[in-house]
Amino acid sequence: NAGVTQTPKFRILKIGQSMTLQCTQDMNHNYMYWYRQDPGMGLKLIYYSVGAGITDKGEVPNGYNVSRSTTEDFPLRLELAAPSQTSVYFCASSYPRTDGNTIYFGEGSWLTVV
Amino acid sequence: KNEVEQSPQNLTAQEGEFITINCSYSVGISALHWLQQHPGGGIVSLFMLSSGKKKHGRLIATINIQEKHSSLHITASHPRDSAVYICAVSRTSGSRLTFGEGTQLTVNP
């Protein structure tokens, strides 16, 4: 049981390049999330999904796209990378219960845009 | 004003001290989470609570729904407790979380 796995862990991109951050979970969780964390700041929600085929914008979706074709996978696509997208990205998943839901995070992906 | 406010932002303690981190929120919630983020970035869920108190080892989390306030206590603190502690709330079951900005805790030997 690997939990939430995200790749790559580190990446340097040039301005204007594109890339995909991969995220997969093996806990059969309905809910998956992508967050970014800027230095000294709290986690900000980029996109989330409540199930396969359903995605929705979070607080800071501009410059990103997601898809959810399976329950397990929730990739985050960066198109035309900009320095403002330099950040640490976390994928997370959870399973809704009536008494709340524990959330599980991936290890994080450090992205630098130069 | 952020919906979730934590205090203090930074906290330095000596090994063995009793530590309290506070979290106040301004919206109705279904659950409050305490998370721990170690240097190197990994985030781990410590507690999820909607009422009362929970205890796990040296960690205790309490919540007062009427006052919209939660506290995380660490008894007999240890240098390995050094981390960022994050409070987060969810408004409905299973919904996305709103995070506080975290409290950087450093425990010196």
Side-chain angles (χ1 to χ4, degrees), chain B residues 47 54-60 73-75:
Chain B
F47 294 103
K54 286 190 176 180
K55 185 175 190 291
H56 185 256
R58 295 179 295 105
L59 300 177
I60 303 166
H73 305 287
I74 304 175
T75 62

Side-chain angles (χ1 to χ4, degrees), chain A residues 43-92:
Chain A
L43 290 147
K44 300 291 185 189
L45 182 65
I46 305 170
Y47 271 94
Y48 68 104
S49 169
V50 299
I54 306 169
T55 62
D56 211 343
K57 295 178 181 178
E59 304 166 74
V60 289
N62 292 343
Y64 307 95
N65 268 304
V66 293
S67 60
R68 184 96 182 269
S69 56
T70 66
T71 299
E72 294 78 20
D73 299 307
F74 190 42
L76 177 72
R77 178 87 177 153
L78 281 74
E79 304 281 3
L80 298 175
S84 61
Q85 292 178 302
T86 294
S87 190
V88 184
Y89 292 82
F90 289 94
C91 180

